Amino acid sequence: MNNMQAASTLHDDAKRVERALARLLCADDDDDTDLMAAMRYATLQGGKRIRALLCLAAGALADTPAHMLDDVAAAIEMMHACTLVHDDLPAMDDDVLRRGLPTVHVKFGEATAILVGDALQAHAFLTLASLDAPGDNRIALVRELAQAVSAEGTAGGQAMDLSLVGKHVERDQILATHRRKTGALVRASVRMGALCALAEDAEHAALYCALDHYGDCLGLALQVIDDILDATADTTTLGKTPGKDAAAQKPTCASIMGLQEARDFALDLLREAREAIAPLGPRGERLAQMLQLAKAYLFKQAPCG
Amino acid sequence: MNNMQAASTLHDDAKRVERALARLLCADDDDDTDLMAAMRYATLQGGKRIRALLCLAAGALADTPAHMLDDVAAAIEMMHACTLVHDDLPAMDDDVLRRGLPTVHVKFGEATAILVGDALQAHAFLTLASLDAPGDNRIALVRELAQAVSAEGTAGGQAMDLSLVGKHVERDQILATHRRKTGALVRASVRMGALCALAEDAEHAALYCALDHYGDCLGLALQVIDDILDATADTTTLGKTPGKDAAAQKPTCASIMGLQEARDFALDLLREAREAIAPLGPRGERLAQMLQLAKAYLFKQAPCG
């Protein structure tokens, strides 16, 4: 597959997931509140869909039915949007711009933004629970996603991130924070795709381990790249306000390591992820494309999602 | 069972659920943020545990293993706490007092309160997904809980509630709001207990319908009673600031129907719930006790939860 074909596949995959989101988040006719409209605004205004694409790429390792994978990827995007909407709130990161548009609380008010996040989380689990798949598969997916956004995952990572503001922080602390805040959901996206695709036998257990290592490296790399872009890109490229981390005295990989070392570290992580999926051979092509995409963000300074 | 025995059973049941909550919400040793401490504060400071008790009462209709029921009830209480912590935020109902103590955002800050709600929702689903029960049972429970707090449930109900402030509202509108805002999770609590207890056959389908009708009536009654108490009780009795609805120009059953009619309506609903479980005979005793408890709140002006 050449680069243009690869880009076209990614574009088509993202559209598939957006169609699933639009289908899964539709308003009750009796409802005259803004809630569902705001939930659609939070999820259907683009974004790179990296987590959804990772899920589809891992899911493509077997003949998983497309409609199942689309819904799993859509559930992951709902959960990602939940974390973004809440992180953007004035009491948290206080962001007014996301993907080049006003954030949910700016457009719909803070109360609605809080409820949008809560309802998106519920709809993500409802989507997984309603999949046309055996109960054991569905429950494994619910468990992965719940773990990823628990106090040991994104919620704990965001709490750590806020607790580090203005403090002197060691490299290990910031990496542990990033692994939870961003890494946990990226890693879960790969694992959930793999859960759709892989049966329970010894060969697949080894594959699953490889994919998990890949997801762990890529998840951390994406947050390092995000830190670099926050320090170097402009609003148009970023789609959100740049320089927020420095202004908020928030320690990042860029501020702790310096830009060059942070870039090298991100490239090392992407290389490690590539090695993790080497045993997959040509079957890992789509997962390898995702690493190319992350690299393109790092150098072209486009936003990570 | 006499009244004292009944009160003692309810007390023991509440303690069982609190032990399950304390076990399920325990901190990672590496974690130096306040997040888990705040999650425990949000869930372990008492409350009447009505939803948990309803789940246990419905679950007691068969020999469901106690540890399974305790964890399901604890998951419901985590979800209830999630909605309370977010509803209390300044951008929502702006409450500073809950169960006689400072609300989570007053004690731990707004950012932590937002994350506490998010993480409690995740841990509720994680608890259900981790039950020692077949995948199909666990997924049915996840689905019930997710539906109850979705845009069609509590999140939508709270959005409707906020949208009605300062408006002229018809009785049907306020009842539809109450059914979603409070009723959905109460009803789900009964249904989830029943899901633990009942097999899939025709007799049980009829029982399930009866229990669902009971849960629907009781859920609505509890919010009507809450409206009445907000208008009539003092801070000590209520454990939270009274008169908030009137001060916020929030339409309630008490303001729309008047206090006497609202009381009569609550009693009618409790009577309807009693009739719904009449076919259960003596097996429905614990569910009947819950109606007595609701009635006691209405007349003794103790808080509902």
Side-chain angles (χ1 to χ4, degrees):
Chain A
M1 203 185 281
N2 64 30
N3 281 350
M4 270 186 66
Q5 283 171 321
S8 162
T9 303
L10 293 177
H11 178 81
D12 291 350
D13 280 356
K15 288 290 157 210
R16 269 172 53 189
V17 175
E18 273 155 33
R19 281 195 297 275
L21 282 167
R23 168 172 48 78
L24 291 163
L25 298 173
C26 63
D28 178 348
D29 287 341
D30 296 342
D31 196 350
D32 53 1
T33 71
D34 280 338
L35 186 60
M36 188 53 84
M39 288 165 72
R40 291 171 67 90
Y41 179 85
T43 47
L44 292 170
Q45 303 291 335
K48 288 288 181 289
R49 310 286 181 202
I50 291 188
R51 289 152 194 81
L53 294 174
L54 282 169
C55 172
L56 295 184
L61 291 171
D63 293 332
T64 317
H67 63 86
M68 177 174 170
L69 266 184
D70 291 354
D71 283 13
V72 174
I76 292 168
E77 286 292 317
M78 287 180 206
M79 192 61 88
H80 179 50
C82 157
T83 66
L84 295 182
V85 171
H86 281 184
D87 285 358
D88 285 341
L89 283 166
M92 300 259 257
D93 295 342
D94 195 12
D95 267 313
V96 295
L97 211 58
R98 165 79 61 190
R99 295 166 183 166
L101 292 166
T103 45
V104 173
H105 66 90
V106 169
K107 192 163 169 83
F108 295 92
E110 269 187 65
T112 300
I114 295 164
L115 292 170
V116 161
D118 293 350
L120 281 174
Q121 182 172 168
H123 282 256
F125 287 115
L126 192 56
T127 299
L128 295 179
S130 308
L131 289 171
D132 181 15
D136 285 340
N137 291 53
R138 285 182 279 165
I139 213 68
L141 291 165
V142 166
R143 200 171 164 150
E144 278 294 340
L145 190 60
Q147 190 83 53
V149 297
S150 71
E152 282 81 49
T154 51
Q158 176 72 0
M160 285 162 82
D161 200 44
L162 294 169
S163 76
L164 299 181
V165 168
K167 291 196 186 141
H168 172 76
V169 172
E170 299 295 331
R171 180 187 161 113
D172 283 356
Q173 273 179 296
I174 198 80
L175 296 187
T177 304
H178 282 8
R179 275 209 155 85
R180 288 162 81 161
K181 183 183 150 186
T182 306
L185 190 55
V186 170
R187 192 174 176 180
S189 304
V190 179
R191 288 160 68 114
M192 290 169 74
L195 278 172
C196 294
L198 303 180
E200 283 183 25
D201 63 26
E203 189 205 338
H204 286 148
L207 270 185
Y208 187 81
C209 257
L211 287 172
D212 193 34
H213 187 182
Y214 163 93
D216 183 35
C217 293
L218 178 53
L220 186 51
L222 287 172
Q223 183 58 51
V224 177
I225 295 171
D226 206 43
D227 284 357
I228 295 168
L229 295 183
D230 184 81
T232 56
D234 60 26
T235 306
T236 314
T237 313
L238 214 53
K240 57 185 180 180
T241 320
K244 293 269 308 176
D245 294 335
Q249 295 192 284
K250 193 184 268 194
T252 69
C253 279
S255 69
I256 290 175
M257 304 178 184
L259 278 173
Q260 190 52 50
E261 197 186 322
R263 263 190 210 107
D264 291 345
F265 181 54
L267 289 171
D268 283 347
L269 286 166
L270 294 176
R271 205 171 298 124
E272 193 177 334
R274 185 74 192 82
E275 281 160 19
I277 54 165
L280 287 169
R283 292 171 69 201
E285 192 185 7
R286 289 180 62 179
L287 292 160
Q289 281 165 20
M290 296 302 297
L291 301 176
Q292 288 302 321
L293 196 63
K295 213 164 169 177
Y297 295 143
L298 176 57
F299 288 110
K300 290 190 194 156
Q301 304 195 326
C304 301
Chain B
M1 204 186 279
N2 64 31
N3 280 350
M4 270 185 66
Q5 284 171 320
S8 162
T9 303
L10 293 176
H11 178 79
D12 291 349
D13 280 356
K15 287 291 158 207
R16 268 173 53 191
V17 175
E18 272 155 34
R19 280 195 297 275
L21 281 167
R23 169 173 46 80
L24 292 162
L25 298 172
C26 63
D28 178 348
D29 286 342
D30 295 343
D31 196 351
D32 53 1
T33 71
D34 280 338
L35 186 59
M36 187 54 83
M39 289 165 72
R40 290 171 68 90
Y41 180 85
T43 47
L44 292 170
Q45 303 292 335
K48 288 290 183 286
R49 310 286 181 201
I50 291 189
R51 290 152 192 81
L53 294 174
L54 282 168
C55 172
L56 294 184
L61 290 170
D63 292 332
T64 317
H67 63 86
M68 176 175 172
L69 266 182
D70 291 356
D71 283 14
V72 174
I76 293 168
E77 287 291 316
M78 288 180 205
M79 191 62 88
H80 178 50
C82 158
T83 65
L84 295 182
V85 171
H86 281 184
D87 285 359
D88 285 341
L89 283 166
M92 301 260 256
D93 295 343
D94 195 12
D95 267 312
V96 295
L97 211 59
R98 165 80 59 189
R99 296 166 183 164
L101 292 166
T103 46
V104 174
H105 66 90
V106 169
K107 191 163 170 82
F108 295 91
E110 269 187 65
T112 300
I114 295 164
L115 292 170
V116 161
D118 293 350
L120 282 174
Q121 182 172 171
H123 282 257
F125 287 114
L126 191 56
T127 300
L128 295 180
S130 308
L131 290 171
D132 181 15
D136 284 341
N137 291 52
R138 286 182 279 167
I139 213 68
L141 291 166
V142 167
R143 200 172 165 149
E144 277 294 337
L145 190 59
Q147 189 83 52
V149 297
S150 70
E152 282 81 49
T154 50
Q158 177 70 0
M160 286 163 81
D161 200 45
L162 293 168
S163 77
L164 298 181
V165 168
K167 290 197 187 140
H168 173 77
V169 172
E170 299 295 331
R171 180 186 162 112
D172 283 355
Q173 274 178 294
I174 198 81
L175 296 187
T177 303
H178 281 9
R179 274 208 156 85
R180 287 162 81 161
K181 183 183 150 186
T182 306
L185 190 55
V186 171
R187 192 174 176 181
S189 304
V190 180
R191 288 160 68 116
M192 289 169 73
L195 278 172
C196 294
L198 304 179
E200 282 183 26
D201 64 25
E203 190 205 337
H204 286 147
L207 270 185
Y208 187 81
C209 256
L211 286 173
D212 192 35
H213 187 182
Y214 163 93
D216 183 35
C217 293
L218 178 53
L220 186 51
L222 287 172
Q223 184 58 52
V224 177
I225 294 171
D226 205 43
D227 285 357
I228 294 167
L229 295 184
D230 184 81
T232 57
D234 60 26
T235 306
T236 314
T237 314
L238 214 52
K240 57 185 181 180
T241 321
K244 293 268 312 177
D245 295 334
Q249 295 193 284
K250 193 185 268 194
T252 69
C253 280
S255 69
I256 290 175
M257 303 178 184
L259 277 174
Q260 190 52 49
E261 198 186 321
R263 265 191 209 105
D264 290 345
F265 181 55
L267 290 172
D268 282 346
L269 286 166
L270 295 177
R271 206 171 297 123
E272 194 178 333
R274 186 74 193 82
E275 282 160 18
I277 53 164
L280 288 169
R283 293 171 68 200
E285 191 184 5
R286 290 180 61 178
L287 293 160
Q289 282 165 19
M290 296 302 298
L291 302 175
Q292 288 302 320
L293 197 63
K295 213 164 169 179
Y297 296 144
L298 176 57
F299 288 111
K300 290 190 193 156
Q301 306 194 326
C304 300

